[in-house]
Amino acid sequence: MVGKILRWIDEQTELVTFVKEFMEEPLAKGVGWPHVFGSAAMFLFVVQLCTGVLLMVYYVPSPDAAYESASFISRELPLGGLVRGLHHWGASFMLILVIIHMLQAFFWGAYKKPRQIIWVIGVLLLLVTMGLSFTGYLLPWDQKAYWATVVGTRIAGSVPMVGHYITALFRGGPDVGALTLTRFFALHVLIFPAVLIGLMVFHVAQVRKKGITPPWRRVDDEDSVSRPTLFYPDQVFKDAVVSVLLLGLLFAVAVLYPAHLEAKANPAAIGYVPRPEWYFLPNFELLKYVPTAWGEWGEFAGAAVVPGLAVLFLIVLPYLDRNPERLPRRRPLISVGAVAALGVLLYLGISGAKSGPPHAQLTPQQQRGQKVFLDLRCHSCHGINGGGGLEGQDLGPDGPRQPDTVAKVLRSPTAINPRSIMPPVPASLTKTDFQDLVAFVSAIDTTFRMPTEVIASQPHRPSSHQEENWFANHKYEVRKDPTLCGQCHEPTFCQSCHLKRRPDSHEKEWLKSHFGTAQERPEYCQVCHEENYCNSCHDRLMHTEDWMQRHSSASEVDREMCQECHKPDFCITCHGGTKPASHTKDWVYRHQGAQAAECSECHNTKTFCTACHEGARPESHKADWLTQHPSRAESKTKECATCHRTEFCSSCHGGIDLPHPPDWMLEHKAQASFAAGSVCFRCHEYNETCNKCHGAEMPEPASDTPH
Amino acid sequence: MGDIRESAAGKAEEDLSLITRRRFLGYGSGLLSALIGIALGLPLVRFYVGDTFKEREGRWLRLGAIEEVTAGQPKLFRASHVDRDGWRQTARRESVYAVTQDGKDYVVFSNACTHLGCPVHWDDSAQSFLCPCHNGGFNIRGEVTKGPAPRPLDRLEHKVEEGTLYVKVMGG
Ligand code: FES
């Protein structure tokens, strides 16, 4: 059946015959396992195509969505992490295979006549593969991707005079941004793959036409070689075995080391130290060897001229090296040269990978301090050079700091900045821990790095919170739709910061105007306040009718609350201080002479007068106060003076001996008076006291006449 | 290819073993290719399918305290929630009417008119939900009283827990 269909297809198209002829290439003796690398590279390209096309099903090339969609692929789609991992690691695998294939072609002398053009195309294929890697690296739009691209495209800027034009051309503008992303995307998914496929077809067709190089035969001795095997199935089988092994390895790496996604690209994170991808490392390392005195020309030489010349050399190599020998030992110069060049590249690459960005070596004390820093979760708000939380200040760029200041801030953040929301270090922290922490925090500078495991374990933010200035903007977001916040956050979440720092909306006389908001849009209050929050004031502090009576005890407890509306000198308006001109020093003693009509201009005479005249005495002045007061007055004269002047005491004590001396009963006639308002009646009832001895015959104290 | 054919013709025995070997390698290659196809294809197909067939789970959205709903007086609640649309998260605002006749059983109506989806509002004087778009009307039980609406107001799944009214909405 299958045979029939194939035959029919062949009749119509000759396709089967073509494929058959193509595949049944006789292979020279000795061709075998060393020749699988080209096919392996091609196989990996096919893997990249498959995974890449599928990633495109979900990926969106826009700065607003790229990171979110990449994160959606990685974290939420079934097998998304695996597919992204395959594509991510597949890129490196492919590049490595291309390089191995090239080395193999080099040492087997396969670039020589008549296969020069195959080699040249191969070099171009290497460049396109690197281009694919470079453009693909940006697409997830995380910090690592963004900054590597910033640095990578800056290299082009090292060309003197016209450099920044070239950089701009790469980036689609002066900076890495939306336009860079879209053009990299187009290059990555369309232009480079198309070019690569075109070149590859040409490359393979040429190989088929000119045959796989017979190993170690001189250029002029190819025809005599025996060709005992066929490409299919002998070599194809080997290729298939290698492909299966490679795919297994790729799966293993993708599963064991999932493609990491850092925080979303943040062009403002100046502290972030970009790392180039591994294949750029030798070039980066090379730049370190360029003497700074050479200036921009030096950078140009290191970044562009040397690599450019190297590529040029590779391209013209088959035309320069006309030695017909293929055995490496018969062409010692170029073989040794190649090994040496390879050694240099490896050395640069490895030392580049090792040295990395400047990395502070922590002293033992700083190490302990770093542990305290992480244990206290300082890093959840404070980043260190781009790693860590975004809410607090990044500690890297402005360091190092004065230990004294750091210690002060850590102990009491609001002492330095009254609006700070940073919690002070817990009081339970031991002294040595605190000192270690201070040592670490004050030493942090641009060379410090957040430990990678900390960065990896940062909580994943929902896409709405990805905006780089989300934290600064959250107050506006809350206002847009307060009920939305409540879907994930409890009020305590807001309070964890805002108890220390009132929201901006609550500044300036907020208490006076809060009623309108609470009445019309209670959902605004409910985001941050629990339901019974209102009661905490409204039960006790509302200025209802009996407020004058309650205010002193309430103000005692909630003094701060009073100050929400009242300035401190508000109390003095009654309790002393700003009084009308008439209310001078002894006013309390003279006030009975005032006209009630005049009083009522300011005072509600009904309540104001009674506040003193009926009740409203201090708590201490109980019913038996008069008998009690001598002992209190003696020991606490100051206390009395808060309300009473000395005249107050002498109004009784001035004319009369108090306490009454032993012979008082005999002597009292001279001092006592029955007149109305007489001081005697401050303590004594007429009926009870006077009548006790004097009986009913004593006159009523109705008149002023002394008895 | 010439020398292969010659050698094949010359030594029949070797020829046979060669053919067996070729066949073995051919089948082997085919088998390995199939393996690759399956190993790579299955995950990719699964990835392509993604969450296409995943049942969307609803979530309970808190509306407010049931005391806010007085008997015979539909009460409008508004609440927002996040709805997932692939990698996008969109805020959705729900407006619903909660109605109770006896303070025990509650009904929650969507405020979307069943005609063309305009928002209905409760009109006290008319004792009806009125739709501004085509003059539709619904009574307090959600039944159509006038206008073009084809069916009663949609009732939403809800529950009362600890004195709080929740309604079920789609999305995460
Ligand atoms: S949409 Fe409500 S009546 Fe038409």
Side-chain angles (χ1 to χ4, degrees), chain B residues 112-120 130-138 146-149:
Chain B
C113 177
T114 50
H115 179 222
L116 292 175
C118 292
V120 299
L130 297 182
C131 178
C133 293
H134 311 96
N135 213 11
F138 305 82
K146 60 170 179 163

mmCIF file of all heavy atoms in Angstrom, chain B residues 112-120 130-138 146-149, ligand 1:
data_model
loop_
_atom_site.group_PDB
_atom_site.id
_atom_site.type_symbol
_atom_site.label_atom_id
_atom_site.label_comp_id
_atom_site.label_asym_id
_atom_site.label_seq_id
_atom_site.Cartn_x
_atom_site.Cartn_y
_atom_site.Cartn_z
ATOM 1 N N ALA B 112 -27.225 42.758 34.106
ATOM 2 C CA ALA B 112 -27.219 42.867 32.641
ATOM 3 C C ALA B 112 -28.594 42.452 32.107
ATOM 4 O O ALA B 112 -29.083 41.358 32.388
ATOM 5 C CB ALA B 112 -26.141 41.971 32.057
ATOM 6 N N CYS B 113 -29.177 43.339 31.353
ATOM 7 C CA CYS B 113 -30.480 43.061 30.762
ATOM 8 C C CYS B 113 -30.369 41.843 29.842
ATOM 9 O O CYS B 113 -29.377 41.687 29.125
ATOM 10 C CB CYS B 113 -30.928 44.275 29.979
ATOM 11 S SG CYS B 113 -32.467 44.025 29.127
ATOM 12 N N THR B 114 -31.367 40.986 29.895
ATOM 13 C CA THR B 114 -31.289 39.772 29.082
ATOM 14 C C THR B 114 -31.610 40.054 27.618
ATOM 15 O O THR B 114 -31.542 39.154 26.791
ATOM 16 C CB THR B 114 -32.241 38.696 29.613
ATOM 17 O OG1 THR B 114 -33.523 39.290 29.787
ATOM 18 C CG2 THR B 114 -31.749 38.140 30.921
ATOM 19 N N HIS B 115 -31.973 41.286 27.307
ATOM 20 C CA HIS B 115 -32.199 41.612 25.899
ATOM 21 C C HIS B 115 -30.855 41.806 25.213
ATOM 22 O O HIS B 115 -30.359 40.903 24.560
ATOM 23 C CB HIS B 115 -33.086 42.865 25.780
ATOM 24 C CG HIS B 115 -33.327 43.274 24.355
ATOM 25 N ND1 HIS B 115 -33.285 44.596 23.958
ATOM 26 C CD2 HIS B 115 -33.599 42.540 23.263
ATOM 27 C CE1 HIS B 115 -33.523 44.638 22.654
ATOM 28 N NE2 HIS B 115 -33.720 43.405 22.208
ATOM 29 N N LEU B 116 -30.244 42.966 25.427
ATOM 30 C CA LEU B 116 -28.950 43.183 24.770
ATOM 31 C C LEU B 116 -27.846 43.557 25.761
ATOM 32 O O LEU B 116 -26.811 44.069 25.371
ATOM 33 C CB LEU B 116 -29.084 44.254 23.690
ATOM 34 C CG LEU B 116 -29.948 43.832 22.493
ATOM 35 C CD1 LEU B 116 -30.119 45.004 21.530
ATOM 36 C CD2 LEU B 116 -29.351 42.644 21.755
ATOM 37 N N GLY B 117 -28.121 43.334 27.018
ATOM 38 C CA GLY B 117 -27.030 43.471 27.979
ATOM 39 C C GLY B 117 -26.829 44.835 28.594
ATOM 40 O O GLY B 117 -25.824 45.058 29.259
ATOM 41 N N CYS B 118 -27.742 45.761 28.389
ATOM 42 C CA CYS B 118 -27.582 47.049 29.065
ATOM 43 C C CYS B 118 -27.775 46.852 30.570
ATOM 44 O O CYS B 118 -28.435 45.914 30.996
ATOM 45 C CB CYS B 118 -28.609 48.057 28.563
ATOM 46 S SG CYS B 118 -28.317 48.537 26.870
ATOM 47 N N PRO B 119 -27.214 47.767 31.386
ATOM 48 C CA PRO B 119 -27.357 47.596 32.834
ATOM 49 C C PRO B 119 -28.743 48.033 33.320
ATOM 50 O O PRO B 119 -29.154 49.163 33.061
ATOM 51 C CB PRO B 119 -26.265 48.496 33.398
ATOM 52 C CG PRO B 119 -26.012 49.508 32.352
ATOM 53 C CD PRO B 119 -26.354 48.900 31.036
ATOM 54 N N VAL B 120 -29.445 47.143 33.992
ATOM 55 C CA VAL B 120 -30.744 47.530 34.537
ATOM 56 C C VAL B 120 -30.523 48.172 35.905
ATOM 57 O O VAL B 120 -29.494 47.961 36.533
ATOM 58 C CB VAL B 120 -31.676 46.304 34.693
ATOM 59 C CG1 VAL B 120 -31.923 45.653 33.351
ATOM 60 C CG2 VAL B 120 -31.099 45.308 35.687
ATOM 61 N N LEU B 130 -35.541 48.554 35.688
ATOM 62 C CA LEU B 130 -35.810 49.153 34.389
ATOM 63 C C LEU B 130 -34.541 49.141 33.561
ATOM 64 O O LEU B 130 -33.438 49.351 34.068
ATOM 65 C CB LEU B 130 -36.294 50.589 34.564
ATOM 66 C CG LEU B 130 -37.612 50.735 35.325
ATOM 67 C CD1 LEU B 130 -38.019 52.198 35.395
ATOM 68 C CD2 LEU B 130 -38.710 49.907 34.664
ATOM 69 N N CYS B 131 -34.711 48.877 32.277
ATOM 70 C CA CYS B 131 -33.567 48.912 31.389
ATOM 71 C C CYS B 131 -33.647 50.157 30.534
ATOM 72 O O CYS B 131 -34.674 50.430 29.925
ATOM 73 C CB CYS B 131 -33.544 47.672 30.505
ATOM 74 S SG CYS B 131 -32.176 47.725 29.359
ATOM 75 N N PRO B 132 -32.589 50.948 30.503
ATOM 76 C CA PRO B 132 -32.641 52.223 29.791
ATOM 77 C C PRO B 132 -32.621 52.063 28.272
ATOM 78 O O PRO B 132 -33.002 52.988 27.563
ATOM 79 C CB PRO B 132 -31.383 52.947 30.273
ATOM 80 C CG PRO B 132 -30.445 51.842 30.616
ATOM 81 C CD PRO B 132 -31.280 50.710 31.122
ATOM 82 N N CYS B 133 -32.190 50.914 27.785
ATOM 83 C CA CYS B 133 -31.916 50.845 26.346
ATOM 84 C C CYS B 133 -33.182 50.678 25.506
ATOM 85 O O CYS B 133 -33.401 51.428 24.562
ATOM 86 C CB CYS B 133 -30.933 49.727 26.054
ATOM 87 S SG CYS B 133 -29.312 50.099 26.737
ATOM 88 N N HIS B 134 -34.001 49.691 25.827
ATOM 89 C CA HIS B 134 -35.207 49.489 25.015
ATOM 90 C C HIS B 134 -36.428 49.387 25.895
ATOM 91 O O HIS B 134 -37.359 48.634 25.627
ATOM 92 C CB HIS B 134 -35.068 48.251 24.134
ATOM 93 C CG HIS B 134 -33.777 48.234 23.383
ATOM 94 N ND1 HIS B 134 -32.678 47.545 23.836
ATOM 95 C CD2 HIS B 134 -33.393 48.867 22.262
ATOM 96 C CE1 HIS B 134 -31.673 47.735 23.011
ATOM 97 N NE2 HIS B 134 -32.073 48.541 22.033
ATOM 98 N N ASN B 135 -36.313 50.129 27.033
ATOM 99 C CA ASN B 135 -37.480 50.250 27.881
ATOM 100 C C ASN B 135 -37.953 48.901 28.428
ATOM 101 O O ASN B 135 -39.142 48.673 28.558
ATOM 102 C CB ASN B 135 -38.595 50.929 27.095
ATOM 103 C CG ASN B 135 -39.436 51.779 28.013
ATOM 104 O OD1 ASN B 135 -39.041 51.999 29.172
ATOM 105 N ND2 ASN B 135 -40.577 52.229 27.529
ATOM 106 N N GLY B 136 -37.031 48.018 28.703
ATOM 107 C CA GLY B 136 -37.417 46.731 29.280
ATOM 108 C C GLY B 136 -37.708 46.883 30.765
ATOM 109 O O GLY B 136 -37.256 47.833 31.404
ATOM 110 N N GLY B 137 -38.479 45.967 31.324
ATOM 111 C CA GLY B 137 -38.774 46.010 32.745
ATOM 112 C C GLY B 137 -38.833 44.610 33.334
ATOM 113 O O GLY B 137 -39.218 43.645 32.648
ATOM 114 N N PHE B 138 -38.427 44.489 34.576
ATOM 115 C CA PHE B 138 -38.451 43.198 35.275
ATOM 116 C C PHE B 138 -38.972 43.459 36.674
ATOM 117 O O PHE B 138 -38.659 44.498 37.265
ATOM 118 C CB PHE B 138 -37.039 42.613 35.384
ATOM 119 C CG PHE B 138 -36.318 42.472 34.076
ATOM 120 C CD1 PHE B 138 -35.654 43.555 33.498
ATOM 121 C CD2 PHE B 138 -36.290 41.243 33.419
ATOM 122 C CE1 PHE B 138 -34.988 43.419 32.301
ATOM 123 C CE2 PHE B 138 -35.610 41.109 32.227
ATOM 124 C CZ PHE B 138 -34.966 42.197 31.656
ATOM 125 N N LYS B 146 -42.158 44.020 30.973
ATOM 126 C CA LYS B 146 -42.426 44.739 29.732
ATOM 127 C C LYS B 146 -41.146 44.774 28.897
ATOM 128 O O LYS B 146 -40.055 44.450 29.394
ATOM 129 C CB LYS B 146 -42.918 46.155 30.018
ATOM 130 C CG LYS B 146 -41.925 46.997 30.793
ATOM 131 C CD LYS B 146 -42.363 48.432 30.842
ATOM 132 C CE LYS B 146 -41.362 49.247 31.654
ATOM 133 N NZ LYS B 146 -41.420 50.651 31.477
ATOM 134 N N GLY B 147 -41.309 45.175 27.640
ATOM 135 C CA GLY B 147 -40.138 45.331 26.799
ATOM 136 C C GLY B 147 -39.731 44.039 26.116
ATOM 137 O O GLY B 147 -40.369 42.996 26.274
ATOM 138 N N PRO B 148 -38.631 44.110 25.372
ATOM 139 C CA PRO B 148 -38.258 43.026 24.472
ATOM 140 C C PRO B 148 -37.442 41.889 25.104
ATOM 141 O O PRO B 148 -37.080 40.948 24.402
ATOM 142 C CB PRO B 148 -37.412 43.739 23.426
ATOM 143 C CG PRO B 148 -36.781 44.857 24.171
ATOM 144 C CD PRO B 148 -37.741 45.266 25.242
ATOM 145 N N ALA B 149 -37.130 41.972 26.399
ATOM 146 C CA ALA B 149 -36.239 40.951 26.982
ATOM 147 C C ALA B 149 -36.839 39.556 26.840
ATOM 148 O O ALA B 149 -38.015 39.351 27.144
ATOM 149 C CB ALA B 149 -35.975 41.272 28.446
HETATM 150 S S1 FES C 1 -31.038 45.908 26.340
HETATM 151 FE FE1 FES C 1 -32.473 46.031 27.903
HETATM 152 S S2 FES C 1 -34.288 46.267 26.826
HETATM 153 FE FE2 FES C 1 -32.848 46.113 25.233
#
